[in-house]
Amino acid sequence: MSTLSLQTPDAEKRTASGPARIFRLLLRDPLATLAFAFLVVVVVCAVAGPFLIGDLIEKPNFRARNMPPFSLEQGFAYILGADTLGRSLLARLVVGARNTLGIATAAVLCSLVIGGTLGLIAGYSRGALGNLIMRATDIVMSFPSLLLALVVLFSLGPSVPNLVLVLAITRIPIYLRTTRAEVLEVRERMFVNAAVALGASHSRLIFRHIAPMVIPTLLTIGAIDFATVVLAESSLSFLGLGIQSPQFTWGSMVATGRGYLANAWWVAFWPGLMILLTTLSLNILSNWWRTYSDPQQRWRLELARRHRK
Amino acid sequence: MFGYVFKRSLQSLVAVAGLLVLVFFLSRLTGDPAYLYLPLDSTEAQRQAFNELHGFDDPLYIQFGRYLADLLHFDFGTALSRNRPAMEVALEAFPETLKLAAIAMTLSLVLAIVVGALAATKPGGIFDRLATTISLAGASAPDFWVAIVAILFFSVSLGLLPTSGTGTPLHWIMPIGVLMLRPFGLLTQVVRGSMMGVLTSPYIKTAQAKGVRRTKIVFVHALRNALLPVITVAGDLAASLINGAVVVETIFGWPGIGKLMIDAIVRRDFALVQATVLITAIAIFFLNIVIDLVYAALDPRIRHQTA
Amino acid sequence: MSTAPILAVENLTVDFLSGDGRFRATDGVSFHVHEGETLVILGESGSGKSVSASAIMGLIDTPPGEIVSGRIRYRGEDIVDMPAERRRDLNGRRIAIIFQDPLAHLNPVYTVGWQLAEVFSVHGIAGGEEARRRSIDILRRVGIPDPETRMDWYPHQFSGGQRQRIMIGMAIALGPEILIADEPTTALDVSVQAQILELLKKLQREEGLAIVMITHDLEVAANMADRIVVMNSGKIVEEGPAREVFTAPKHAYTQRLMSALPDHDEHKERADEAEGAPVLEVRNLTKIYQLSPGMFGKKKALQALDNVSFVLRPGETLGIVGESGSGKSTVARLLLRLAEATAGTALYRGRNIFEMDRRELLAFRRRVQMVFQDPYSSMNPRMNVFSIISEPWCIHGDILEKPRWEERVAELLELVGLRPEHARRFPHQFSGGQRQRIAIARALACDPEVLVCDEAVSALDVSIQMQIISLLADLRDRLGLAYIFITHDLPIVRNFADRILVMKSGRVVEEGMTEALFRNPREDYTRMLIQAAPKPKWDQAQAMAS
């Protein structure tokens, strides 16, 4: 239904949706704010952590062996306890953030770029090539992604690049199908027809008219997908197929700690909790973003403020 | 109708064939099985004999041709690690996974529909906020970690549940619980979102204008429409339950197909890998057909579609 | 009418929350309706007319909606603060509603029989076989053929007109006293529209219904109304007996609105018949669509165009008129090579368009331009007006050198009645009419000689439609353009087109000079299209009296 505005009908002002405005709305939702703050901390850890406390992770401290958490006996670095070699768990969590987030970011970027490009081709060309791409996607999709990853990782050997490759391959179909569906929809839109009627070339249609409409959707999916990829990487590392010692991610830390469950539960507990909190924060934020970006639902965020006042 | 199933089968056949080719060649890349199956001090000659016996000394394309020829006779090869026909081993394990997955999926679907639908009737309310947070947590939790923590808590600390194995009904509780987490979380989100969308659609206004009661609007008029996108997601999730099964079966020592497959890969038991892959692919194929039929049953527009 | 009104809305103010703040949809709106009377609420989109209807039925979701103040009285009793259970009982039994888009308002996954029978069961009047029997009666009454079978059909299996009949059946099933009709014929073809309006009038005569009809269509309003309320920007600007409001509007807004009514008496004949070699010559144009089979369906072919031939001479305006499914838009798509023709030729200055190579096609596309139906989707939302209008110059590099673009865009904007500073804005910051002006400016950017307008004004409000058409007429005189003007609305082209082609089911059924065709239509179908435009109620009364 169309309604009229009570405010000054200044179109530019009303449709402004700058970062400042988004941030103001975000702060009105305590859960989303918390999730955002947590992610900022994790990212800071991933970027700066290894420089600051990188040496702590390898330093065995025999007096701290299997030290339980919540004790300041060995200093603040041991607040979350220590593993069987007496290495600070806090330090290892901070440093582990880099590999965990790094691998996931690389995998998401790879699948986004490859899937997006192939989807664009499959959606735009409609020819035999498009069909071939879709059939290949069907094959990848017709098989559980973790099992596919297992087979590939076992054949190629576990390493960080292979891990990224495998994670990317299993996620490519999502981007590919979304892009293709969007392209099929966008190319039927009137403004693309209008450009064709003006005589626009294929490259102009693709890069000027179609791609700019599809990319925001892809970025949104990428953000949502990030949590899934973090979980997938953790599962692989947990099964021993992901990252190999001496490098580690949160997932492989859980795997290491599993053996000491009975006498040092904290070794496996904290890294798992970090994974949970990270993916949960990502999901909370993307959930919030979905509400924000849907014009039919956005008023709910405005309403939250009114009740609080 | 039959034309449709036929077409779909043909498409899937191509996909399954592609998969088998992929798995056949990839698994051969993992290395020489002779090193795993013969004693460490075995001689070159012994390994040669082993490979000749199992045909691993032929060029890959010949091995592949033989594999295809055997397939036509429903001979899926021998599982090296067990010395039994590979398909027999796989078919023993498959029902274990199927039972686990079916129960987990049914429970999470029913629970998700009820919780998601109720949450959508009053968005922003207390129940909705609670349901949203819990379902998001379910979708975000790393299942292997939850499984470990559950063992720590229910088995080690409280001593209530067995840590692993099968046998008593108690053995089912933790595997099913862990397996349910992700489907329940994701499905609740989908049901809620889809329901909220449907509740603003014009035909809901019509029902209100007719004077239909709110509960009937939600559970009769809206729910059937809201379920359409849920079915698709549920199908994808059911297929990927096999994923979860690998982790859950490994941790809880459940003798299912996921554990069997990972064992087979680790032990370079090629015939067994291929057999398990084939079974999973066929199961997923049937699942997809069932999903399409359910979809058609729910939506008459699909049944009558001509354009 | 001296008796108390059956329904009265008093001082109704409704606000809505949206992502961008709070909007006032209706502001102190009051109106009433008596038994057996038809009140028409007339307004353009955004006037708040539908919101009052939703408020009467209790269909406003709160939040985001909020009824700030006001009362709605049914037989004197306020229903805004009525207990939910009693209010629910009024819906469907005493007050019923039909909507603009019947397909969207029928539940897609249940049979129409189920949805009809529900009306009886919900109010505890009948259930099971009895409800089914009554539902069949209702379907028969609203003119659905073979109701026993059709009961078990789903909404998507009916035509648009039939769906609206089903909605009407559902609304009148329990013999309500008040029927609210919210734009009931807007989505329908003119011929179907006339039938639906007739049905509503018949039911009103038989049942003594009070009808509150909400519409933006002046002719529909005149055809139905006893009294009229005119709304603009959430407020009532004028109210009175239909004939007075139409013939002697008092408020400036109403006067502007009424001036948009096509004038049937006066017709200015344009200069003599166009001469010269034809710009476009279409011969035996045929298009067959191969429909892909559905999940369980069979392959089907749809003949969209069947041997269509016509010519267009320089500076001439050809109107192509037809209802939905007549193939009129397919003609435009084929001519601009947006789709491939199955058979036939289309000669542009002697060259077959369908056989042009890339270079020829590029040159052709400079000379023949198109204005699309929906100004909301025909422009890339991420490009500003400057980029939109200058796009032809990016594509055809030799039209204009870059330093002059700025100046030329400003010229074009002024030509179509916009301001040069609009160039930096984005499409969503303009109204529908303004956007259509931008689309015209874009089409003019490469100096075309033919402009194909596909339903170019049908998405616009009536008062805007006339402005755009006079802009097109003005440009024709100044730039010597030839038009192919495709529309479903025959009266609208009367003062604009030189020649008219009437299409039905992919064929040309009649062709002729505009005035001759209006005066002496040869085909029944053309006659029906001309007469389908609803006549004012007061004229009908006179006609009946005499």
Side-chain angles (χ1 to χ4, degrees):
Chain A
M1 127 191 34
S2 37
T3 53
L4 79 151
S5 157
L6 269 190
Q7 303 149 329
T8 45
D10 184 350
E12 269 127 306
K13 201 173 123 200
R14 264 182 42 217
T15 50
S17 57
R21 190 185 124 85
I22 297 177
F23 197 66
R24 260 204 326 278
L25 273 179
L26 180 74
L27 288 184
R28 285 187 198 134
D29 187 335
L31 205 60
T33 311
L34 219 61
F36 183 74
F38 180 79
L39 285 180
V40 169
V41 171
V42 170
V43 170
V44 169
C45 284
V47 174
F51 299 116
L52 299 177
I53 49 174
D55 45 338
L56 220 59
I57 58 164
E58 293 305 334
K59 199 175 77 188
N61 179 345
F62 291 104
R63 279 192 298 171
R65 276 173 63 178
N66 281 342
M67 199 180 91
F70 311 123
S71 145
L72 287 172
E73 217 173 274
Q74 294 290 325
F76 185 73
Y78 293 86
I79 181 91
L80 295 180
D83 62 11
T84 41
L85 295 174
R87 296 177 298 194
S88 155
L89 277 182
L90 179 64
R92 286 181 76 80
L93 285 180
V94 167
V95 176
R98 168 173 284 188
N99 275 335
T100 311
L101 296 193
I103 290 172
T105 311
V108 166
L109 282 182
C110 280
S111 47
L112 197 152
V113 170
I114 299 172
T117 313
L118 290 178
L120 203 61
I121 296 171
Y124 191 81
S125 73
R126 283 177 180 171
L129 185 62
N131 260 329
L132 188 74
I133 292 175
M134 290 320 289
R135 288 289 85 80
T137 316
D138 281 347
I139 295 181
V140 176
M141 293 234 358
S142 70
F143 202 58
S145 53
L146 194 69
L147 292 188
L148 192 68
L150 287 180
V151 175
V152 175
L153 273 181
F154 244 107
S155 334
L156 304 180
S159 73
V160 171
N162 284 349
L163 188 58
V164 170
L165 177 79
V166 158
L167 289 170
I169 288 178
T170 57
R171 305 311 294 170
I172 282 175
I174 310 239
Y175 298 91
L176 200 156
R177 296 194 149 200
T178 315
T179 312
R180 177 171 171 272
E182 285 260 312
V183 170
L184 285 179
E185 191 262 325
V186 171
R187 65 172 292 162
E188 290 309 314
R189 287 220 210 145
M190 220 66 106
F191 69 82
V192 178
N193 272 324
V196 174
L198 285 172
S201 61
H202 289 304
S203 63
R204 186 172 179 85
L205 286 178
I206 291 175
F207 294 111
R208 187 92 178 123
H209 291 286
I210 295 178
M213 306 301 293
V214 178
I215 288 171
T217 320
L218 281 186
L219 291 179
T220 313
I221 297 181
I224 295 169
D225 209 34
F226 194 82
T228 316
V229 173
V230 168
L231 281 181
E233 180 273 322
S234 305
S235 297
L236 287 175
S237 292
F238 173 79
L239 291 172
L241 288 163
I243 201 154
Q244 299 296 306
S245 185
Q247 282 189 305
F248 58 93
T249 62
W250 293 336
S252 66
M253 286 172 75
V254 178
T256 321
R258 191 185 162 202
Y260 313 103
L261 217 50
N263 47 2
W265 56 267
W266 49 90
V267 182
F269 183 80
W270 297 124
L273 189 65
M274 285 303 286
I275 299 172
L276 171 65
L277 289 178
T278 307
T279 51
L280 182 59
S281 302
L282 283 165
N283 281 330
I284 287 175
L285 275 188
S286 56
N287 201 39
W288 182 88
W289 179 255
R290 258 198 297 271
T291 310
Y292 174 81
S293 55
D294 181 352
Q296 294 224 312
Q297 303 289 344
R298 198 186 300 168
W299 57 268
R300 295 187 193 281
L301 303 176
E302 300 270 354
L303 201 65
R305 166 202 51 174
R306 284 211 313 156
H307 283 323
R308 205 146 290 127
K309 267 185 184 167
Chain B
M1 173 75 211
F2 285 107
Y4 157 74
V5 173
F6 179 73
K7 200 175 145 199
R8 185 84 198 223
S9 310
L10 217 62
Q11 268 178 4
S12 305
L13 202 65
V14 174
V16 170
L19 194 70
L20 284 180
V21 175
L22 194 76
V23 168
F24 183 90
F25 288 102
L26 276 180
S27 60
R28 263 39 178 205
L29 287 177
T30 53
D32 187 350
Y35 287 96
L36 282 181
Y37 287 91
L38 296 179
L40 275 177
D41 54 359
S42 59
T43 63
E44 183 66 30
Q46 279 173 313
R47 286 201 290 273
Q48 197 87 49
F50 176 86
N51 280 344
E52 246 168 64
L53 177 68
H54 296 283
F56 296 137
D57 55 339
D58 293 324
L60 271 184
Y61 65 90
I62 292 188
Q63 289 189 41
F64 186 62
R66 197 161 49 222
Y67 171 61
L68 288 185
D70 287 349
L71 268 190
L72 290 180
H73 301 102
F74 293 99
D75 176 1
F76 301 92
T78 309
L80 285 180
S81 53
R82 324 232 164 173
N83 245 327
R84 289 172 54 202
M87 193 45 89
E88 200 179 297
V89 178
L91 281 177
E92 250 166 48
F94 182 66
E96 295 302 317
T97 303
L98 194 64
K99 277 187 270 181
L100 208 58
I103 295 175
M105 198 61 212
T106 313
L107 282 180
S108 35
L109 192 59
V110 171
L111 211 58
I113 289 173
V114 175
V115 173
L118 287 177
T121 52
K122 244 190 141 219
I126 293 177
F127 182 79
D128 177 46
R129 295 196 136 244
L130 203 70
T132 303
T133 313
I134 290 176
S135 61
L136 280 177
S140 315
D143 44 9
F144 55 91
W145 177 75
V146 177
I148 289 177
V149 173
I151 289 179
L152 191 65
F153 189 70
F154 293 109
S155 307
V156 178
S157 301
L158 299 179
L160 284 177
L161 298 172
T163 51
S164 68
T166 54
T168 69
L170 286 182
H171 283 101
W172 291 79
I173 294 178
M174 282 202 290
I176 288 179
V178 173
L179 215 48
M180 276 177 63
L181 275 179
R182 196 170 159 77
F184 167 73
L186 288 175
L187 285 175
T188 306
Q189 293 287 307
V190 177
V191 173
R192 176 181 174 272
S194 160
M195 195 71 172
M196 276 168 66
V198 167
L199 281 175
T200 59
S201 51
Y203 50 81
I204 296 301
K205 295 252 181 271
T206 310
Q208 279 175 287
K210 284 199 282 190
V212 182
R213 246 172 257 277
R214 185 72 183 166
T215 39
K216 192 181 178 195
I217 289 182
V218 172
F219 286 100
V220 178
H221 287 257
L223 188 61
R224 191 157 160 192
N225 285 284
L227 280 186
L228 296 174
V230 177
I231 297 301
T232 317
V233 179
D236 287 350
L237 279 173
S240 72
L241 261 195
I242 316 257
N243 276 347
V246 174
V247 170
V248 167
E249 287 172 6
T250 310
I251 294 178
F252 292 108
W254 195 270
I257 197 133
K259 189 169 181 328
L260 185 66
M261 191 180 301
I262 196 166
D263 285 347
I265 295 174
V266 174
R267 309 208 49 186
R268 292 183 198 151
D269 191 343
F270 303 147
L272 192 51
V273 173
Q274 279 146 211
T276 48
V277 166
L278 191 63
I279 291 227
T280 344
I282 290 173
I284 290 174
F285 160 68
F286 278 111
L287 181 74
N288 282 334
I289 287 192
V290 169
I291 296 293
D292 284 341
L293 294 181
V294 171
Y295 214 93
L298 279 179
D299 191 345
R301 286 165 297 183
I302 306 274
R303 288 205 290 279
H304 301 132
Q305 200 174 49
T306 49
Chain C
M1 311 216 177
S2 52
T3 49
I6 188 164
L7 181 81
V9 172
E10 297 164 8
N11 213 12
L12 184 71
T13 299
V14 179
D15 279 4
F16 275 91
L17 281 174
S18 85
D20 302 315
R22 206 177 164 82
F23 300 100
R24 183 143 290 182
T26 65
D27 191 359
V29 165
S30 304
F31 58 81
H32 60 271
V33 63
H34 293 269
E35 273 172 57
E37 183 193 36
T38 303
L39 172 76
V40 165
I41 303 180
L42 182 66
E44 297 183 290
S45 56
S47 62
K49 56 193 193 303
S50 289
V51 176
S52 4
S54 299
I56 296 172
M57 298 302 295
L59 298 182
I60 294 178
D61 288 324
T62 50
E66 187 188 343
I67 297 181
V68 181
S69 68
R71 311 219 154 277
I72 298 169
R73 292 185 194 281
Y74 163 73
R75 293 196 180 276
E77 192 182 2
D78 183 24
I79 60 176
V80 173
D81 294 328
M82 197 178 259
E85 200 57 9
R86 277 197 58 202
R87 168 70 173 263
R88 194 177 60 76
D89 200 46
L90 286 182
N91 275 6
R93 194 205 278 266
R94 302 276 174 236
I95 314 175
I97 187 167
I98 58 175
F99 300 94
Q100 169 173 354
D101 180 359
L103 179 60
H105 282 90
L106 287 166
N107 198 322
V109 300
Y110 292 103
T111 61
V112 297
W114 184 91
Q115 297 185 54
L116 251 170
E118 190 187 26
V119 183
F120 295 102
S121 62
V122 156
H123 292 279
I125 287 168
E129 275 309 305
E130 170 70 4
R132 187 179 167 87
R133 204 180 49 74
R134 288 203 191 193
S135 305
I136 292 173
D137 285 346
I138 293 284
L139 282 186
R140 189 171 294 123
R141 215 175 138 198
V142 293
I144 301 288
D146 190 15
E148 285 85 358
T149 322
R150 305 283 172 99
M151 277 287 281
D152 300 316
W153 283 22
Y154 290 90
H156 68 270
Q157 294 169 291
F158 292 89
S159 70
Q162 285 177 326
R163 285 182 204 128
Q164 194 59 290
R165 286 172 187 271
I166 294 166
M167 285 298 290
I168 293 176
M170 220 184 279
I172 57 142
L174 300 183
E177 295 158 298
I178 303 161
L179 178 68
I180 299 167
D182 188 353
E183 301 265 16
T185 58
T186 306
L188 304 175
D189 279 333
V190 270
S191 53
V192 184
Q193 164 173 301
Q195 296 166 13
I196 295 289
L197 294 181
E198 238 3 271
L199 175 64
L200 284 176
K201 280 191 219 156
K202 178 175 149 247
L203 292 169
Q204 181 172 39
R205 276 197 303 276
E206 290 170 8
E207 310 250 335
L209 271 174
I211 295 182
V212 178
M213 176 133 168
I214 291 153
T215 184
H216 73 284
D217 188 318
L218 294 171
E219 282 154 330
V220 169
N223 178 268
M224 291 295 291
D226 296 314
R227 270 187 315 116
I228 285 195
V229 163
V230 182
M231 281 187 75
N232 182 28
S233 304
K235 292 198 175 86
I236 291 180
V237 295
E238 185 157 351
E239 183 184 357
R243 187 170 193 170
E244 265 173 46
V245 175
F246 268 92
T247 50
K250 293 189 204 63
H251 193 275
Y253 174 76
T254 321
Q255 286 165 1
R256 215 169 64 235
L257 212 58
M258 295 310 165
S259 67
L261 263 182
D263 208 331
H264 292 285
D265 309 325
E266 195 186 330
H267 177 74
K268 19 183 211 306
E269 198 74 41
R270 233 168 52 90
D272 340 291
E273 212 167 307
E275 279 172 14
V279 199
L280 274 173
E281 194 174 349
V282 173
R283 287 186 204 142
N284 303 328
L285 196 58
T286 299
K287 174 74 184 174
I288 296 171
Y289 283 106
Q290 293 295 340
L291 299 179
S292 67
M295 205 156 129
F296 308 123
K298 286 196 180 64
K299 257 208 167 89
K300 270 189 183 174
L302 177 81
Q303 179 132 27
L305 282 184
D306 187 3
N307 279 311
V308 171
S309 307
F310 61 86
V311 292
L312 179 73
R313 294 179 197 285
E316 187 190 31
T317 300
L318 174 68
I320 299 184
V321 181
E323 297 187 287
S324 55
S326 63
K328 57 189 192 304
S329 291
T330 309
V331 174
R333 293 185 61 82
L334 294 184
L335 279 183
L336 281 131
R337 289 254 317 240
L338 295 175
E340 296 297 319
T342 310
T345 54
L347 304 178
Y348 166 73
R349 297 216 171 269
R351 282 286 299 142
N352 189 352
I353 299 170
F354 304 140
E355 284 166 4
M356 287 181 173
D357 59 27
R358 261 188 57 198
R359 209 173 39 79
E360 279 178 302
L361 190 61
L362 209 58
F364 163 74
R365 282 185 163 149
R366 279 168 67 160
R367 305 300 288 157
V368 179
Q369 274 299 312
M370 182 149 174
V371 178
F372 292 85
Q373 168 174 11
D374 183 1
Y376 295 86
S377 65
S378 69
M379 277 171 274
N380 189 330
R382 283 169 214 282
M383 285 164 74
N384 68 15
V385 171
F386 178 83
S387 323
I388 289 169
I389 295 180
S390 63
E391 186 167 23
W393 307 325
C394 295
I395 295 167
H396 309 277
D398 54 335
I399 296 183
L400 200 63
E401 62 273 30
K402 209 154 187 178
R404 288 207 49 226
W405 287 12
E406 197 102 15
E407 185 191 335
R408 180 72 182 139
V409 166
E411 266 175 43
L412 283 167
L413 282 174
E414 278 176 357
L415 188 67
V416 297
L418 293 171
R419 292 199 305 275
E421 60 265 31
H422 285 150
R424 294 291 152 209
R425 297 203 189 159
F426 286 85
H428 68 262
Q429 293 168 304
F430 294 91
S431 68
Q434 286 174 317
R435 282 184 226 203
Q436 209 55 308
R437 287 172 192 270
I438 298 169
I440 293 170
R442 169 176 63 184
L444 294 178
C446 40
D447 289 322
E449 60 180 326
V450 178
L451 219 52
V452 179
C453 303
D454 184 11
E455 295 274 16
V457 298
S458 46
L460 305 174
D461 279 329
V462 267
S463 56
I464 312 292
Q465 287 186 346
M466 279 308 167
Q467 291 172 15
I468 296 292
I469 288 191
S470 42
L471 169 69
L472 290 173
D474 178 48
L475 292 171
R476 172 178 62 191
D477 299 339
R478 282 161 69 178
L479 308 174
L481 293 169
Y483 288 109
I484 293 180
F485 193 89
I486 296 167
T487 181
H488 68 279
D489 189 352
L490 189 52
I492 211 167
V493 287
R494 186 166 190 175
N495 287 330
F496 180 55
D498 302 316
R499 227 154 26 91
I500 288 178
L501 211 66
V502 180
M503 288 187 66
K504 186 191 180 192
S505 314
R507 293 163 179 274
V508 176
V509 292
E510 184 163 1
E511 183 183 358
M513 300 305 290
T514 306
E515 209 42 31
L517 185 123
F518 268 90
R519 295 234 169 87
N520 300 308
R522 285 194 310 275
E523 293 291 321
D524 287 345
Y525 184 71
T526 316
R527 199 166 302 126
M528 192 273 297
L529 279 183
I530 293 173
Q531 287 167 355
K535 296 269 176 305
K537 201 169 191 173
W538 55 90
D539 282 356
Q540 302 159 22
Q542 278 172 357
M544 254 181 256
S546 64

